């Protein structure tokens, strides 16, 4: 399953790289016709699209390789490196746009054949948006940050191109040619900001930063499907390695369960998460036997070994599940292991 997903990601990225080259040639043709600085800045960003596509292609090739002795968790983090490189290149494109705009204030070139250039640029915007939407959809389905980043980059290119098209339409009607430079400057700032967001997300993945949205979703699922033998849970951690989701936690079960019975509870937890997140995940569960201080919050009704009466059900929250401590009968209070 993982290999099939990786191959699909790689195939999509191949098409994106070819498409980026074709769109770059189209934008250069539009610039040649018009001599518009705004269109030139759009073409410069497309150079980044090509470079990012090649980097993304290589990263997905690496990420598709199976785990080995040197990389026991696989090669999925190559996607984060790709996204980091792409974010950096996007920022560089924004800087290039601003530089070319400032330079044009000194050496001005007249705009010509604006209508023909607009048609070509509008076509590239439509194609980019469709390709970006497909990339994001495939990336989310296959949990590939590289494809999602590529898709967002393509759609970002669409928005910037759309802004340029609107601005050039205004220029075409009003003949206010100074707007060409103003649009280019605005697009430069916009590109730099979005490059920062891509870079920030990739660095978060490289540093194994907690995905709070994903954790909240997992906590809600655990609460809704909690079994009576799941007395408590703590030290919950979730890490993504490319499309692979790695989950580990400590699960407290009744102390008198034998190894087989405890394993049944672990299998149930594994199935619950697999049904929600798909097969692209692995899970390690450490089982603990319950202790007397946990009796008041234990929801197991037929327990014959209970030492204290049940008082209340403690809701699992993000805060108490990620803590590396067992919980006692005082809500919100933690007792060390």
């Amino acid at each position: 399953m993982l290999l099939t997903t990786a191959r699909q990601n790689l195939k999509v990225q191949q098409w994106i790289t070819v498409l980026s080259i074709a769109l770059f040639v189209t934008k250069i043709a539009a610039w040649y016709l018009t001599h518009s600085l705004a269109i030139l800045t759009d073409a410069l960003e497309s150079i980044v699209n090509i470079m990012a596509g090649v980097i993304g292609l290589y990263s997905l090739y690496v990420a598709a390789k199976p785990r080995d002795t040197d990389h026991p968790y696989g090669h999925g983090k190559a996607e984060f490196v790709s996204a980091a490189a792409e974010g950096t290149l996007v920022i560089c494109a924004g800087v290039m746009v601003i530089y070319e705009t400032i330079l044009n204030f000194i050496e001005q070139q007249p705009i010509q054949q604006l209508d023909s250039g607009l048609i070509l640029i509008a076509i590239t915007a439509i194609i980019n948006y469709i390709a970006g939407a497909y990339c994001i959809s495939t990336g989310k389905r296959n949990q590939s940050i590289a494809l999602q980043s590529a898709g967002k980059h393509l759609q970002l290119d669409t928005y910037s191109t759309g802004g340029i098209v609107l601005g050039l339409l205004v220029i075409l009607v009003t003949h206010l040619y100074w707007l060409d430079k103003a649009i280019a400057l605005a697009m430069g700032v916009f590109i730099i900001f979005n490059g920062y967001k891509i870079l920030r997300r990739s660095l978060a993945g490289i540093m194994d930063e907690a995905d709070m949205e994903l954790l909240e979703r997992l906590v809600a699922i655990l609460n809704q499907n909690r079994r009576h033998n799941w007395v408590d849970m703590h030290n919950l951690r979730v890490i993504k390695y490319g499309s692979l989701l790695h989950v580990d936690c400590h699960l407290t079960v009744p102390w008198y369960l034998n190894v087989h019975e405890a394993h049944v509870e672990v299998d149930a937890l594994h199935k619950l998460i697999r049904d929600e997140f798909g097969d692209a995940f692995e899970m390690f569960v450490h089982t603990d036997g319950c202790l007397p201080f946990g009796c008041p919050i234990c929801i197991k009704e037929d327990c014959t070994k209970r030492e204290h009466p049940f008082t209340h059900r403690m809701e699992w929250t993000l805060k108490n599940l990620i803590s590396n401590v067992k919980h006692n009968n005082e809500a919100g209070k933690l007792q060390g292991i």
Side-chain angles (χ1 to χ4, degrees), residues 163-174:
I164 289 169
V165 168
L166 289 175
L168 293 180
L169 281 172
V170 173
I171 295 173
L172 192 62
V173 174
T174 65

Side-chain angles (χ1 to χ4, degrees), residues 223-297:
N223 267 316
Q224 293 168 7
N225 299 275
R226 191 167 167 183
R227 290 163 62 95
H228 285 183
N229 280 334
W230 297 354
V231 177
D232 191 23
M233 182 180 290
H234 60 282
N235 202 23
L236 175 65
R237 294 178 293 182
V238 178
I239 303 173
K240 289 191 70 175
Y241 294 94
S243 60
L244 180 66
L245 189 68
H246 177 87
V247 181
D248 59 53
C249 66
H250 289 206
L251 178 67
T252 302
V253 297
W255 62 265
Y256 50 83
L257 297 186
N258 61 37
V259 173
H260 173 72
E261 291 168 333
H263 202 273
V264 169
E265 299 303 323
V266 173
D267 286 343
L269 179 60
H270 188 280
K271 182 179 183 303
L272 173 65
I273 298 177
R274 185 184 65 230
D275 290 345
E276 181 66 27
F277 294 98
D279 293 325
F281 93 100
E282 62 181 8
M283 184 173 187
F284 296 124
V285 181
H286 171 79
T287 55
D288 292 320
C290 63
L291 295 172
F293 67 74
C295 288
I297 61 170

Side-chain angles (χ1 to χ4, degrees), residues 139-317:
K140 287 181 177 179
R141 185 173 63 251
N142 296 343
Q143 298 186 33
S144 168
I145 188 174
L147 276 186
Q148 290 182 61
S149 294
K152 288 178 180 178
H153 189 179
L154 288 172
Q155 290 196 331
L156 167 62
D157 195 30
T158 299
Y159 301 144
S160 60
T161 302
I164 289 169
V165 168
L166 289 175
L168 293 180
L169 281 172
V170 173
I171 295 173
L172 192 62
V173 174
T174 65
H175 302 291
L176 298 174
Y177 294 107
W178 61 267
L179 285 175
D180 187 47
K181 301 180 183 66
I183 293 168
L185 282 174
M187 288 300 107
V189 174
F190 179 68
I191 290 167
I192 289 173
F193 174 70
N194 282 278
Y196 162 76
K197 290 200 298 185
I198 294 174
L199 183 60
R200 172 69 182 83
R201 185 183 178 196
S202 63
L203 292 178
I206 292 172
M207 296 299 294
D208 290 331
E209 183 177 299
D211 186 333
M212 293 302 173
E213 183 179 344
L214 190 152
L215 279 168
E216 290 281 10
R217 177 183 167 195
L218 181 56
V219 169
I221 293 166
L222 291 171
N223 267 316
Q224 293 168 7
N225 299 275
R226 191 167 167 183
R227 290 163 62 95
H228 285 183
N229 280 334
W230 297 354
V231 177
D232 191 23
M233 182 180 290
H234 60 282
N235 202 23
L236 175 65
R237 294 178 293 182
V238 178
I239 303 173
K240 289 191 70 175
Y241 294 94
S243 60
L244 180 66
L245 189 68
H246 177 87
V247 181
D248 59 53
C249 66
H250 289 206
L251 178 67
T252 302
V253 297
W255 62 265
Y256 50 83
L257 297 186
N258 61 37
V259 173
H260 173 72
E261 291 168 333
H263 202 273
V264 169
E265 299 303 323
V266 173
D267 286 343
L269 179 60
H270 188 280
K271 182 179 183 303
L272 173 65
I273 298 177
R274 185 184 65 230
D275 290 345
E276 181 66 27
F277 294 98
D279 293 325
F281 93 100
E282 62 181 8
M283 184 173 187
F284 296 124
V285 181
H286 171 79
T287 55
D288 292 320
C290 63
L291 295 172
F293 67 74
C295 288
I297 61 170
C298 177
I299 62 175
K300 185 174 176 61
E301 297 177 354
D302 59 347
C303 180
T304 59
K305 308 294 184 179
R306 182 181 292 277
E307 296 187 23
H308 303 287
F310 173 76
T311 60
H312 66 279
R313 173 191 171 110
M314 175 180 281
E315 286 297 310
W316 288 345
T317 66

